[in-house]
Amino acid sequence: ENANENPEDWQRTLYAAYGTLQEVFVGKYTITLTEFGTDEVIPFDMGWAAYSQLHYYTFSASHEFLDNHYRLCYEGIKGCNAVIDMPSDAVSADLHNSMIMQARFLRAIYYFDLVRMYGGVPLWTKSSIDRSEIMRPRATVDEVYTLITQDMEAALGLPTSWPNAQDKGRATSYAAQALLARIYLQWGKPEEALKYCRMLEGKFKLYDNLKDIFDPKNKNQEYENIFEIQFKHSGSWGLEGSIQHSYWGPRNVGGPTNFGGWGGFGPTQYLYDSYDNNDKRKKAFFITEYAGVTQTPPSSGKFWDAETGNVIEDDNLNFTMIRYADVLLMKAEALNSIDDTSNDKYDALNEVRGRAG
């Protein structure tokens, strides 16, 4: 009852709910959860059981990466619930409304990651828990999606952008629209997804240069990237820097020094070979040779920080959760799913394909 005594305390609670995004999506035990075991990404240290079990589908429910991911999602939800349940007089009325919308936006993200990974999960929507409810059963998938969409739709009242630089990375109504499209499409509701895709038409553009999408110099520009999880080079390992450059970087080039990386995992040869040689992404996003060392299969050149990537686990890259290219492809998929007979789905698809050459 006495934990938060002033508006700054409540803001810090909200910041903590944002901060957990770093660990859920780019944490050391979570960054590869949706990639290992696919045709697209391979771990190179198969001697580490945690990697090989995911790669070969021999993991159990107690796998440390899954355990971390599951608990961290609920850690984020716990912070969101605290903000959503805060007293109405804790901050000014306008700030109270804004903070709750931001918290509901974040809670939707955490529950969406849970439901798409594990199906129906226990729903915790209050910061106070009665002891009799500790062993809460799993909700159905539809019940989880219902809460997710209600939360994310509540965030549509947020601003389209935050004018102050220190507020970049906060939830926006545009981010809520883009994520609602993704959520509804995953839920199997293409008409609802299409509605939110259409809301974003003309609001964002595609970078002409593919490298610009992930360049840390373009962080929070809101040109193509709609919502980014915030990281910042801190000058020391284990603070606010990202680990993307270190772990996706080239292999056998001396660790993270000289702007290489640990190369713990990367694209498969199958993925590289699937790109047409005229596809601009093949040159932009793959590294076939680095510092005189041939990369077989090629390593990733997508998550690259040319200025601060030489510090282990401390690059300046944000994590792009959703961008306009995603919206265009979701629009094409949604139109196709409802058997639309116009050329709109091809126009959306070809806008992305055209940029890739």
Side-chain angles (χ1 to χ4, degrees):
E1 287 75 7
N2 63 357
N4 287 356
E5 298 179 346
N6 54 55
E8 289 73 26
D9 290 339
W10 286 107
Q11 285 281 16
R12 280 191 279 269
T13 304
L14 178 61
Y15 297 156
Y18 273 106
T20 308
L21 291 173
Q22 293 182 334
E23 297 182 88
V24 169
F25 293 95
V26 195
K28 196 174 291 187
Y29 297 123
T30 55
I31 187 173
T32 56
L33 265 183
T34 55
E35 306 292 341
F36 284 2
T38 69
D39 295 331
E40 294 146 1
V41 170
I42 185 170
F44 295 106
D45 184 6
M46 290 297 187
W48 188 10
Y51 276 8
S52 61
Q53 286 168 5
L54 288 170
H55 180 70
Y56 291 113
Y57 288 88
T58 59
F59 57 87
S60 69
S62 61
H63 189 284
E64 61 185 293
F65 286 23
L66 296 167
D67 179 72
N68 270 271
H69 174 261
Y70 192 85
R71 288 187 298 102
L72 285 166
C73 284
Y74 278 110
E75 192 70 24
I77 289 164
K78 182 172 69 175
C80 295
N81 287 341
V83 174
I84 293 166
D85 286 349
M86 70 180 181
S88 59
D89 60 353
V91 295
S92 67
D94 287 346
L95 183 57
H96 185 269
N97 191 39
S98 172
M99 290 176 69
I100 288 177
M101 286 191 288
Q102 292 176 69
R104 294 189 70 177
F105 172 93
L106 295 169
R107 187 170 71 176
I109 288 176
Y110 292 127
Y111 270 123
F112 183 50
D113 221 49
L114 284 167
V115 76
R116 71 188 184 93
M117 287 282 281
Y118 311 111
V121 293
L123 288 180
W124 298 99
T125 58
K126 298 291 182 183
S127 57
S128 177
I129 298 171
D130 189 278
R131 290 189 179 190
S132 65
E133 295 185 271
I134 284 293
M135 299 301 290
R136 181 168 294 186
R138 289 172 175 258
T140 67
V141 167
D142 286 342
E143 286 170 339
V144 179
Y145 271 110
T146 297
L147 175 68
I148 291 168
T149 51
Q150 288 172 346
D151 275 350
M152 195 60 81
E153 285 166 355
L156 293 172
L158 288 166
T160 58
S161 182
W162 294 83
N164 295 326
Q166 67 266 28
D167 289 322
K168 295 299 182 182
R170 289 186 187 268
T172 66
S173 56
Y174 286 158
Q177 290 167 10
L179 288 166
L180 277 164
R182 179 180 285 177
I183 291 160
Y184 273 120
L185 200 58
Q186 185 74 27
W187 195 9
K189 298 180 182 289
E191 290 184 347
E192 288 87 344
L194 181 60
K195 178 179 75 172
Y196 289 106
C197 289
R198 291 200 185 282
M199 287 182 183
L200 291 161
E201 290 174 353
K203 303 296 193 299
F204 295 88
K205 299 177 181 178
L206 300 183
Y207 282 109
D208 291 330
N209 177 18
L210 289 158
K211 282 290 208 182
D212 287 341
I213 301 169
F214 302 101
D215 193 321
K217 293 178 181 177
N218 292 328
K219 290 169 61 167
N220 302 318
Q221 291 298 308
E222 299 171 2
Y223 186 88
E224 175 173 344
N225 298 343
I226 300 173
F227 186 67
E228 303 177 36
I229 296 173
Q230 302 297 299
F231 288 91
K232 182 175 68 175
H233 172 68
S234 303
S236 182
W237 176 22
L239 296 177
E240 289 298 303
S242 164
I243 67 174
Q244 296 172 93
H245 180 111
S246 295
Y247 283 82
W248 287 104
R251 304 175 298 282
N252 304 316
V253 291
T257 57
N258 302 318
F259 304 113
W262 291 116
F265 34 80
T268 60
Q269 190 69 41
Y270 165 84
L271 179 66
Y272 177 75
D273 292 342
S274 72
Y275 283 78
D276 187 278
N277 286 332
N278 294 322
D279 192 324
K280 296 176 183 177
R281 295 171 299 176
K282 194 167 190 175
K283 183 176 181 180
F285 294 150
F286 295 92
I287 298 172
T288 56
E289 184 270 338
Y290 185 78
V293 179
T294 300
Q295 301 292 303
T296 307
S299 55
S300 176
K302 183 180 281 189
F303 309 110
W304 192 261
D305 180 358
E307 291 189 10
T308 61
N310 61 322
V311 183
I312 181 65
E313 298 183 11
D314 188 31
D315 67 58
N316 200 37
L317 293 162
N318 279 353
F319 178 78
T320 306
M321 177 168 279
I322 196 160
R323 52 193 173 99
Y324 190 53
D326 296 341
V327 174
L328 289 168
L329 295 176
M330 289 191 296
K331 177 183 174 183
E333 184 177 344
L335 286 165
N336 192 61
S337 297
I338 62 173
D339 296 324
D340 182 80
T341 57
S342 72
N343 285 328
D344 287 357
K345 58 188 175 186
Y346 301 114
D347 292 341
L349 183 66
N350 285 328
E351 190 170 344
V352 179
R353 289 174 58 83
R355 192 257 300 267

